[in-house]
């Protein structure tokens, strides 16, 4: 099909920070540790097997001890006696460190920092992320008029140090759209936006935020972020990648987020809900978090091998999601940078090594899940059926006479179901009350006067019967007599086992409570305890990235010593304490705190000065501006077109996808038949997710395959993305439906229709020049299609369906082109 738009994507400019000389005293954890970890720890780090010359530089005791040569690498306050400095500045290539063969060499500023650090006393501190955060004092700011909440006080202080000033607040229409996309994943309706724009009350902004947070769409929008972490998919993975029924877990996540379950409870239930006292079905269902691991049901594979692989994945995922640590490095050897030994890794493994699952193709153990919401729905349906049946059986002499005549007529009763016929065969005087009631119920459903009631009973019963439990994989702890012994896997090989280990956590971190068993439940509580230095930091950093585009700590998957230093360390500390202590792990309040800041409300206008000084918006002197997620791009297209189904929960659906005729490794087709009815138009969240063949258009927009935990999605710009939104049948149908909506609901004139469509897609009213360009586009397209009726009919109806009454194909094809352009505007793709 002929398209009427070109796609231009700006590639973000990446910058690498350099080691400037810090003001004041050199700090080990901020200034020195990154240098040592980059250049020295491969040979002089925590991995004892790889240490050269017996030197370990990450600890004060080992860095300052006398070596076999008699020298000391670090002599605090004495540069001349410090062998580290002598080697770093050595003229002889064979003596200089790092060696010439190293990929990265020290820069002159880095060498100068090392020298200055030792001269100042070579003070060591624990890595900042391994120290429990303490609430810093709020900065004193010169201009107090800008700040809306404490977040802004930290940010304005940083901006001033960088010589930057905040950008003025965005207009109300921009904020209405930004917030709706942020909090619900969908644009606001025109009515919602206008109500907010015209609300002159002082708390208008807060009220709008609260309304969005209370919408069911909030849970759907934020669930996909968690499902990336949980590596949720509707298939087992590996070569066969057969189907898996685990969507009840996805529904649990949506429900928990919408109910604003405190994050500490959210954590505990997913790690060990089955081990809670008197665990509810919903708490047990939550443990499916760790049943999202892959299952290899290919014939001839070792169940024990892939059971061990699943346990390894649970260790790695837990440490990544909550602790932001790359513990996976220690599966085969001591961690080269963070002080986590292989033995300590397998102590973590031992905690997760005591569950019943064992890589079986049926994913046992399973639980027949009927959620609390479904139980409530069943109870409501039972009441509804009882009321309807009461109406059906109301005393009515006329119906009783008709029933008597019907029973006497054998030809009339011939169509009755077998159970009724069996009762009718009995002498009427010998029938009990239940049998008489059964006959009366059936007869009255055949009466035209009661057809509506009868149909409602059938529909309600059908709904009730559909609410049957679904077998869902869950975690289940082994009994005491079945407990497994855990040994270190040499080089990660489950067949080559070494020393036996007991369950525990790395000594680098806080200890498990001594009066509690070292199991999943204790570990779950350990993750969210007040002594944990990482969980709150990692979590607020993740939400900040979602909302502002870049995390405060720019290596969200690695809070270890190789991770980046935060751009705003005091703000990160303050948020971590605020979230875990003041807000009591309340996620909605955390999000509201962020989006009600003056920083968030800034216009996202780019100026040459900002592009030069801060191209990635690290210092937040403007509002967030970045491309929306795959889910948002798809959902908003269907939403503004009037196609998106509001239906929540349930089995995964299959929206349109190209049929390629391909098969999986063992013969199963990778194609699918498109779901019927409204299931074709469900939110992206509900799309069936098969790991080997994930939904193509969403993968094009960087959605992960979910074979492993994904901490943060990349944001790429590729020509394929434009080809998807211009040509994929889902987006073509959305453009067609949007065109029809403009014609039907947009008013009497071309201009009013264009303004209506523009506002549906972008929220704000179109400017005069924009309306003129769209009018010209419509006029030209309509004229071109009038010359080619066959192409016009295709553009107007394929795949959306026949033309509405009274509309000509060239006209509707032209409106489709306009809809296509509106859906493909950069402003529609971006959060700005």
């Amino acid at each position: 099909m002929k398209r009427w738009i070109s796609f231009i994507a700006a590639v973000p400019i990446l910058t690498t920070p350099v080691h400037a000389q810090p003001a004041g005293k050199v700090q080990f954890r901020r200034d020195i540790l990154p240098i040592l970890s980059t250049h020295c720890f491969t040979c002089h780090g925590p991995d004892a097997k790889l240490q050269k010359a017996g030197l370990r530089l990450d600890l004060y005791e080992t860095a300052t001890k006398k070596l076999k040569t008699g020298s000391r690498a670090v002599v605090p306050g004495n540069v001349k006696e410090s062998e580290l400095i002598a080697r770093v500045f050595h003229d002889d290539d064979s003596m200089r460190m790092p060696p010439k063969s190293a990929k990265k060499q020290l820069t002159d500023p880095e060498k100068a920092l090392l020298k200055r650090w030792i001269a100042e006393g070579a003070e060591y501190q624990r890595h900042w992320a391994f120290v429990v955060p303490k609430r810093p004092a709020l900065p004193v700011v010169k201009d107090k008029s800008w700040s809306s909440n404490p977040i802004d006080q930290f940010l304005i202080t940083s901006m001033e140090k960088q010589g930057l000033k905040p950008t003025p607040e965005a207009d109300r229409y921009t904020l209405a759209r930004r917030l709706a996309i942020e909090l619900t994943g969908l644009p606001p309706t025109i009515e919602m936006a206008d109500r907010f724009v015209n609300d002159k009350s002082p708390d208008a902004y807060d009220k709008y935020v609260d309304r969005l947070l209370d919408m069911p769409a909030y849970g759907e929008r934020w669930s996909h972020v968690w499902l990336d972490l949980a590596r949720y998919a509707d298939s087992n993975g590996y070569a066969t990648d057969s189907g898996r029924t685990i969507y009840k877990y996805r529904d649990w996540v949506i429900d928990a987020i919408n109910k604003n379950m405190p994050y500490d409870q959210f954590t505990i239930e997913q790690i060990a809900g089955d081990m809670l006292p008197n665990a509810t079905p919903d708490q047990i269902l939550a443990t499916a978090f760790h049943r999202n691991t892959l299952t290899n049901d290919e014939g001839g594979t070792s169940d024990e091998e892939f059971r061990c692989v699943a346990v390894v994945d649970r260790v790695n995922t837990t440490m990544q999601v909550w602790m932001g640590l790359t513990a996976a490095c220690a599966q085969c050897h001591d961690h080269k940078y963070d002080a986590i030994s292989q033995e300590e890794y397998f102590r973590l493994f031992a905690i997760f090594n005591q569950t019943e699952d064992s890589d079986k193709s049926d994913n046992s153990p399973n639980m027949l899940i009927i959620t609390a919401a479904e139980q409530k729905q069943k109870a409501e349906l039972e009441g509804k059926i009882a009321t309807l049946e009461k109406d059906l059986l109301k005393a009515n002499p006329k119906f009783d006479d008709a029933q008597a005549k019907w029973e006497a007529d054998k030809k009339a009763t011939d169509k009755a179901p077998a159970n009724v016929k069996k009762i009718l065969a009995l002498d009427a005087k010998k029938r009990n009350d239940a049998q008489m009631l059964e006959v009366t119920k059936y007869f009255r459903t055949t009466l035209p006067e009661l057809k509506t009631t009868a149909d409602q009973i059938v529909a309600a019963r059908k709904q009730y019967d559909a609410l049957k439990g679904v077998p869902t994989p869950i975690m289940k702890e082994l009994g005491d007599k079945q407990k497994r012994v855990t040994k270190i896997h040499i080089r990660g090989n489950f067949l080559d086992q070494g020393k036996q280990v007991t369950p525990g956590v790395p000594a680098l971190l806080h200890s498990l409570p001594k009066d509690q068993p070292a199991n999943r439940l204790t570990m779950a509580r350990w993750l969210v305890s007040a002594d944990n230095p990482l969980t709150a930091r990692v979590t607020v950093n993740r939400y900040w990235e979602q909302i502002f585009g870049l995390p405060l700590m720019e290596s969200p998957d690695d809070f270890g010593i190789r991770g980046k230093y935060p751009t705003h360390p005091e703000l990160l500390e303050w948020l971590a304490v605020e979230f875990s202590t003041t807000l009591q792990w309340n996620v909605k309040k955390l999000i509201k705190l962020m989006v009600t800041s003056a920083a968030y409300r800034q216009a996202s206008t780019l100026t040459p000065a900002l592009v030069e000084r801060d191209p990635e918006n690290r210092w937040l002197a403007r509002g967030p501006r970045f491309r929306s997620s795959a889910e948002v791009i798809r959902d908003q297209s269907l939403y503004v077109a009037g196609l998106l189904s509001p239906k929540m929960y349930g089995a995964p659906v299959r929206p349109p996808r190209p049929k390629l005729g391909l098969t999986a490794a063992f013969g199963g087709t990778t194609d699918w038949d498109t779901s019927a009815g409204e299931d074709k138009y469900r939110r992206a969240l509900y799309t069936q997710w098969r790991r080997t063949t994930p939904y193509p258009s969403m993968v094009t927009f960087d959605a992960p395959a979910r074979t492993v935990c994904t901490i943060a999605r990349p944001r790429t710009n590729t020509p394929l993305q434009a080809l998807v939104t211009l040509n994929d049948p889902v987006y073509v149908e959305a453009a067609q439906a949007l065109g029809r909506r403009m014609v039907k609901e947009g008013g009497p004139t071309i201009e009013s229709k264009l303004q209506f469509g523009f506002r549906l897609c972008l929220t704000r009213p179109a400017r005069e020049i924009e309306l003129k360009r769209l009018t010209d586009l419509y006029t030209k397209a309509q004229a071109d299609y009038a010359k080619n009726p066959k192409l016009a009919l295709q553009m107007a109806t394929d795949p959306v369906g026949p033309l509405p009454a009274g509309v000509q194909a060239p006209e509707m094809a032209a409106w489709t082109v306009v809809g296509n352009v509106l859906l493909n505007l950069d402003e529609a793709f971006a959060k700005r």
Side-chain angles (χ1 to χ4, degrees):
M1 295 182 182
K2 189 174 182 181
R3 299 300 179 203
W4 301 84
I5 187 171
S6 62
F7 186 88
I8 301 173
V11 178
I13 303 168
L14 300 178
T15 61
T16 304
V18 296
H19 277 90
Q21 292 296 312
K25 190 173 182 179
V26 177
Q27 291 186 22
F28 175 76
R29 63 185 178 189
R30 181 192 66 195
D31 306 315
I32 302 302
L33 189 55
I35 298 173
L36 296 179
S37 65
T38 299
H39 299 284
C40 310
F41 281 4
T42 300
C43 299
H44 303 295
D47 190 344
K49 294 177 183 176
L50 296 180
Q51 280 172 14
K52 302 291 178 64
L55 174 61
R56 178 175 175 176
L57 287 172
D58 63 316
L59 299 175
Y60 176 85
E61 295 79 8
T62 53
T64 57
K65 75 175 185 179
K66 185 179 288 188
L67 302 172
K68 290 181 180 179
T69 60
S71 62
R72 289 183 172 89
V74 175
V75 180
N78 193 330
V79 172
K80 289 184 179 180
E81 293 296 321
S82 297
E83 186 68 12
L84 172 66
I85 301 303
R87 288 301 191 97
V88 163
F89 283 92
H90 212 290
D91 293 331
D92 187 341
D93 286 353
S94 65
M95 298 292 287
R96 187 169 57 248
M97 290 291 160
K100 191 176 180 180
S101 59
K103 292 181 181 179
K104 289 185 178 181
Q105 293 295 317
L106 286 164
T107 65
D108 289 340
E110 289 172 332
K111 291 178 182 179
L113 267 176
L114 290 171
K115 190 173 183 180
R116 184 177 154 195
W117 169 62
I118 290 177
E120 291 178 356
E123 184 180 334
Y124 270 75
Q125 302 108 16
R126 288 196 75 192
H127 177 51
W128 65 271
F130 299 155
V131 179
V132 175
K134 294 181 179 179
R135 185 189 297 273
L138 294 178
V140 178
V141 298
K142 298 174 184 176
D143 182 6
K144 297 180 180 179
S145 62
W146 181 71
S147 299
S148 290
N149 63 36
I151 287 174
D152 300 316
Q153 292 178 242
F154 288 101
L155 293 179
I156 192 69
T157 303
S158 298
M159 285 184 220
E160 289 170 352
K161 289 178 181 177
Q162 299 296 322
L164 298 169
K165 293 182 178 180
T167 301
E169 184 169 300
D171 65 83
R172 280 287 184 97
Y173 284 115
T174 297
L175 292 175
R177 178 178 172 79
R178 183 187 294 175
L179 283 166
I181 294 289
E182 192 78 77
L183 301 180
T184 71
L186 298 172
T189 64
I190 293 174
E191 293 75 20
M192 281 176 63
D194 285 345
R195 190 184 312 148
F196 169 59
V197 168
N198 296 320
D199 187 348
K200 305 305 179 186
S201 62
D203 61 346
Y205 191 92
D206 277 23
K207 286 190 299 185
Y208 185 61
V209 169
D210 288 338
R211 182 182 177 190
L212 293 168
L213 288 171
D214 286 341
M215 294 175 70
Y218 162 79
E220 293 177 310
R221 177 266 186 264
W222 286 94
S223 287
H224 84 73
V225 179
W226 187 258
L227 295 178
D228 281 359
L229 300 171
R231 64 273 194 240
Y232 169 83
D234 300 299
S235 68
N236 285 332
Y238 296 117
T240 52
D241 202 24
S242 54
R244 173 185 291 173
T245 305
I246 198 168
Y247 66 84
K248 290 284 186 179
Y249 167 73
R250 177 248 287 148
D251 292 351
W252 180 90
V253 172
I254 299 169
D255 196 49
I257 291 174
N258 270 333
K259 288 178 178 175
N260 200 25
M261 180 183 288
Y263 190 75
D264 54 348
Q265 187 67 19
F266 186 71
T267 296
I268 291 167
E269 292 194 9
Q270 290 184 88
I271 297 292
D274 60 310
M275 301 178 76
L276 289 168
N278 303 311
T280 66
D282 275 11
Q283 289 173 329
I284 297 171
L285 169 59
T287 66
F289 171 84
H290 267 325
R291 294 305 311 281
N292 282 307
T293 46
L294 279 61
T295 300
N296 195 342
D297 49 10
E298 178 186 346
T301 58
S302 165
D303 287 349
E304 178 60 12
E305 176 183 2
F306 290 99
R307 186 195 71 79
C308 288
V309 169
V311 177
V312 163
D313 180 76
R314 287 165 191 159
V315 173
N316 298 345
T317 297
T318 301
M319 297 303 281
Q320 280 269 279
V321 171
W322 281 276
M323 307 295 282
L325 293 177
T326 55
C329 299
Q331 180 193 348
C332 300
H333 51 74
D334 292 351
H335 202 294
K336 294 185 185 302
Y337 305 104
D338 298 324
I340 303 174
S341 68
Q342 189 185 22
E343 178 175 337
E344 289 175 320
Y345 180 92
F346 278 94
R347 295 191 73 196
L348 288 169
F349 183 100
I351 293 174
F352 290 100
N353 198 28
Q354 306 302 334
T355 55
E356 283 189 12
D357 57 282
S358 55
D359 199 60
K360 295 295 188 290
S361 58
D362 65 355
N363 284 302
S364 57
N366 291 283
M367 180 181 180
L368 206 60
I369 299 291
I370 300 178
T371 64
E374 288 170 333
Q375 292 281 20
K376 182 181 177 183
Q377 193 177 354
K378 286 187 78 170
E380 289 170 353
L381 285 168
E382 285 172 354
K384 182 178 180 180
I385 292 167
T387 300
L388 288 168
E389 288 186 342
K390 190 176 180 181
D391 289 343
L392 188 77
L393 297 170
K394 277 182 182 176
N396 189 312
K398 177 185 171 183
F399 295 160
D400 292 341
D401 291 344
Q403 182 178 338
K405 291 177 182 178
W406 171 76
E407 288 189 37
D409 186 345
K410 300 298 182 185
K411 291 182 180 179
T413 60
D414 191 50
K415 295 179 181 179
N419 60 315
V420 174
K421 283 183 179 179
K422 188 175 180 180
I423 297 169
L424 291 173
L426 297 172
D427 187 316
K429 294 179 181 179
K430 295 182 179 180
R431 298 174 195 167
N432 60 35
D433 291 344
Q435 290 171 327
M436 289 189 288
L437 183 62
E438 191 170 351
V439 172
T440 301
K441 275 185 184 179
Y442 169 72
F443 171 73
R444 292 203 174 186
T445 62
T446 67
L447 296 174
E449 300 96 320
L450 296 173
K451 185 177 186 306
T452 301
T453 302
D455 288 348
Q456 288 176 335
I457 291 172
V458 170
R461 285 198 178 281
K462 188 175 180 181
Q463 282 182 277
Y464 183 86
D465 292 341
L467 290 170
K468 56 186 179 182
V470 175
T472 300
I474 47 96
M475 297 286 271
K476 189 175 181 181
E477 200 77 349
L478 290 168
D480 290 339
K481 293 182 179 179
Q482 289 83 39
K483 295 290 185 184
R484 298 185 181 97
V485 171
T486 300
K487 297 181 179 180
I488 294 173
H489 297 179
I490 308 301
R491 301 298 299 171
N493 182 354
F494 84 108
L495 292 175
D496 188 2
Q497 299 193 3
K499 176 184 174 182
Q500 182 175 332
V501 296
T502 56
V505 295
L508 169 71
L509 302 165
H510 57 299
S511 303
L512 291 173
K514 293 181 179 179
D515 59 345
Q516 298 293 322
N519 57 24
R520 277 187 293 121
L521 181 56
T522 302
M523 184 184 188
R525 290 169 173 157
W526 174 85
L527 288 171
V528 291
S529 75
D531 296 327
N532 191 318
L534 287 164
T535 296
R537 283 187 179 115
V538 169
T539 307
V540 298
N541 193 56
R542 183 179 303 133
Y543 279 101
W544 187 275
E545 179 179 18
Q546 284 289 318
I547 290 169
F548 287 95
L550 276 179
L552 294 169
M553 197 279 196
E554 292 183 42
S555 53
D557 60 339
D558 188 1
F559 274 66
I561 61 175
R562 288 282 284 157
K564 301 284 183 68
Y565 193 73
T567 52
H568 300 76
E570 293 83 9
L571 174 56
L572 180 60
E573 299 300 275
W574 186 87
L575 283 169
V577 176
E578 182 75 3
F579 179 49
S580 61
T581 305
T582 308
L583 301 182
Q584 294 291 295
W585 302 99
N586 188 313
V587 173
K588 282 190 179 182
K589 286 186 178 179
L590 175 69
I591 291 174
K592 184 175 180 180
L593 182 67
M594 292 180 182
V595 301
T596 54
S597 65
Y600 182 81
R601 301 187 208 192
Q602 295 174 103
S604 60
T605 309
L606 276 171
T607 64
L610 277 176
V611 170
E612 182 180 352
R613 296 289 303 279
D614 188 16
E616 291 191 310
N617 200 27
R618 280 189 172 95
W619 304 108
L620 295 150
R622 60 177 172 84
R625 181 190 182 113
F626 51 90
R627 199 207 70 215
S628 294
S629 69
E631 289 84 352
V632 167
I633 289 172
R634 179 184 181 276
D635 289 350
Q636 74 169 354
S637 295
L638 296 177
Y639 183 71
V640 300
L643 295 174
L644 189 69
S645 165
K647 181 180 175 183
M648 295 180 69
Y649 310 123
V653 296
R654 299 177 169 189
R657 192 180 78 173
K659 289 194 175 184
L660 303 176
L662 301 176
T663 56
F666 295 94
T669 180
T670 61
D671 292 333
W672 69 31
D673 293 325
T674 300
S675 295
E678 69 174 322
D679 281 351
K680 179 182 176 183
Y681 306 107
R682 300 282 303 280
R683 288 195 73 162
L685 177 72
Y686 300 109
T687 299
Q688 180 173 303
W689 207 254
R690 191 175 182 185
R691 289 180 163 111
T692 54
T693 52
Y695 195 64
S697 69
M698 286 198 279
V699 171
T700 304
F701 281 97
D702 306 314
R706 291 185 177 155
T707 53
V708 294
C709 167
T710 302
I711 295 296
R713 295 185 186 183
R715 276 193 298 270
T716 62
N717 290 318
T718 76
L720 286 176
Q721 293 165 353
L723 293 173
V724 165
T725 55
L726 288 168
N727 298 289
D728 186 304
V730 169
Y731 292 92
V732 173
E733 184 174 7
Q736 292 168 333
L738 176 58
R740 294 183 182 200
R741 192 174 179 192
M742 285 188 277
V743 170
K744 183 179 179 181
E745 303 175 45
T749 67
I750 290 175
E751 184 175 280
S752 67
K753 289 175 170 60
L754 290 170
Q755 186 69 267
F756 177 69
F758 193 95
R759 292 211 59 198
L760 284 174
C761 295
L762 301 183
T763 304
R764 66 176 176 85
R767 303 181 187 95
E768 188 176 339
I769 184 63
E770 292 167 329
L771 283 177
K772 183 181 184 307
R773 288 172 179 167
L774 289 170
T775 302
D776 291 345
L777 171 64
Y778 170 78
T779 303
K780 185 178 187 305
Q782 199 273 341
D784 287 348
Y785 279 119
K787 299 172 186 175
N788 194 333
K790 185 177 179 181
L791 185 61
L793 186 63
Q794 182 188 13
M795 188 61 156
T797 62
D798 183 13
V800 74
L803 287 169
V807 181
Q808 300 301 311
E811 176 189 357
M812 204 65 254
W815 283 113
T816 297
V817 169
V818 172
N820 186 278
V821 168
L822 291 174
L823 293 175
N824 278 276
L825 292 173
D826 174 71
E827 198 172 334
F829 288 154
K831 188 182 79 174
R832 53 193 298 169

